[in-house]
């Protein structure tokens, strides 16, 4: 029975055997060499991946598109074009409505111009529409209007200069005569038809009468003379 126990102890000693220190150092150096050799290979593989040119794919238009770029189909392009056209039409319609819409206030009438030429149309107070981007309108007051004129200088028959101040003129525009007056005398027809004529008639009256007649005996006749 003793030989068997010796063999068992011998095998157990063999299993616990470890190599000497020199062998351990040689194995470790071999492992380090292998690891240092594998590092350049990894760097080369990463460099080759970075330097790899991008691949291209052709779309429906016939052009090559690189990978990673969004692919736009023909149907999507058509949808985008139709949407842009619809938005443009809606914006143009809104602009036409805004430009053609206008309001005439109470006490005024509207006269219209097309490319600078006055039209026969006269609109009453309220909301109206006109041709967009072509027609233009102007409001004209038809209510009785009081206008204070600038001082007027006049010379009497006997050579004395007078200055008339605070001359008030009341005017009323007839609607049926508005187009005729606007065509003949322009938009500011009151200036040429009323205010300038008042100045001229007042100067003529003073030129034909003396200072005593203007301020004493015939002062009330000035209004009747100017109205004529």
């Amino acid at each position: 029975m003793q030989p068997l126990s010796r063999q068992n102890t011998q095998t157990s000693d063999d299993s616990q055997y470890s190599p000497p220190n020199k062998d351990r150092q040689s194995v470790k150096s071999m492992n380090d060499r292998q690891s240092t050799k594998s590092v350049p290979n990894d760097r080369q593989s990463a460099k080759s991946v970075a330097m790899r040119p991008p691949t291209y794919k052709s779309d429906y238009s016939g052009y090559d598109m690189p990978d990673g770029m969004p692919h736009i189909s023909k149907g999507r392009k058509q949808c985008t074009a139709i949407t842009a056209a619809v938005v443009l039409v809606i914006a143009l319609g809104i602009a036409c409505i805004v430009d053609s819409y206008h309001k005439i206030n109470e006490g005024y009438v509207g006269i219209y111009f097309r490319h600078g030429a006055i039209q026969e149309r006269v609109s009453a107070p309220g909301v109206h529409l006109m041709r967009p981007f072509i027609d233009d309108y102007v409001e004209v007051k038809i209510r009785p209007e009081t206008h204070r004129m600038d001082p007027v200088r006049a010379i009497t028959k006997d050579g004395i200069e007078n200055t008339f101040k605070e001359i008030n003129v009341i005017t009323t525009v007839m609607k049926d005569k508005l187009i005729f007056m606007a065509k003949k005398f322009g938009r500011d027809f009151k200036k040429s038809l009323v205010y300038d004529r008042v100045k001229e008639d007042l100067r003529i009256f003073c030129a034909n009468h003396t200072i005593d007649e203007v301020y004493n005996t015939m002062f009330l006749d000035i209004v009747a003379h100017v109205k004529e």
Side-chain angles (χ1 to χ4, degrees):
M1 297 299 291
Q2 289 179 356
L4 292 174
S5 62
R6 288 179 181 177
Q7 289 178 358
N8 292 332
T9 56
Q10 187 176 1
T11 56
S12 63
D13 294 336
D14 293 338
S15 61
Q16 294 178 357
Y17 174 79
S18 59
N21 293 330
K22 292 183 178 181
D23 295 337
R24 289 180 180 177
Q25 291 178 356
S26 62
V27 171
K28 185 175 181 181
S29 63
M30 290 177 66
N31 292 332
D32 293 338
R33 289 177 183 177
Q34 290 179 358
S35 62
T36 54
K37 288 182 180 180
S38 63
V39 171
N41 293 330
D42 294 339
R43 291 179 180 177
Q44 290 179 359
S45 62
K47 186 176 181 180
S48 63
V49 171
M51 297 297 293
R52 184 181 300 171
T55 58
Y56 291 85
K57 294 182 180 180
S58 61
D59 59 355
Y60 292 102
S61 61
Y63 296 98
D64 293 337
M65 302 296 292
D67 289 342
M69 295 187 66
H71 181 70
I72 302 175
S73 62
K74 186 175 181 181
R76 184 176 296 178
K77 291 180 180 179
Q78 292 178 353
C79 183
T80 304
I82 292 173
T83 303
V86 171
V87 171
L88 181 62
V89 170
I90 293 174
L92 184 61
I94 294 173
C96 291
I97 293 174
V98 171
D99 188 74
S100 62
Y101 174 87
H102 62 283
K103 181 178 66 174
I104 305 298
N105 297 314
E106 187 65 37
Y108 293 81
V109 293
I111 58 176
Y112 296 85
F113 297 84
R114 182 172 299 169
H115 301 297
I118 190 169
Q119 305 296 306
E120 297 292 336
R121 177 185 175 187
V122 178
S123 60
V127 176
H128 303 276
L129 295 175
M130 61 184 180
R131 294 185 179 181
F133 311 114
I134 298 176
D135 292 350
D136 193 10
Y137 79 99
V138 175
E139 284 186 315
V140 179
K141 191 173 184 178
I142 58 175
R143 285 178 176 174
E145 182 181 11
T146 301
H147 176 76
R148 176 169 291 183
M149 296 177 56
D150 296 331
V152 179
R153 292 182 179 181
I155 300 175
T156 60
K157 187 178 181 179
D158 49 1
I160 299 174
E161 182 178 352
N162 298 314
T163 302
F164 296 90
K165 300 179 180 179
E166 297 182 0
I167 301 174
N168 295 323
V169 180
I170 301 174
T171 58
T172 303
V173 179
M174 304 299 294
K175 185 178 178 180
D176 56 343
K177 302 292 184 180
L178 180 59
I179 298 298
F180 170 76
M181 292 187 295
K183 283 184 176 181
K184 190 173 182 179
F185 301 101
R187 296 182 183 181
D188 194 10
F189 54 85
K190 286 186 178 182
K191 183 178 183 300
S192 57
L193 287 177
V194 180
Y195 309 137
D196 291 345
R197 289 196 177 187
V198 168
K199 293 179 182 179
E200 186 65 23
D201 291 342
L202 185 58
R203 287 168 181 164
I204 292 173
F205 182 84
C206 292
N208 293 327
H209 298 85
T210 63
I211 187 65
D212 183 63
E213 292 174 343
V214 171
Y215 279 100
N216 294 317
T217 60
M218 300 184 65
F219 182 77
L220 297 178
D221 296 337
I222 297 176
V223 177
H225 179 78
V226 170
K227 283 184 176 181
E228 292 178 359

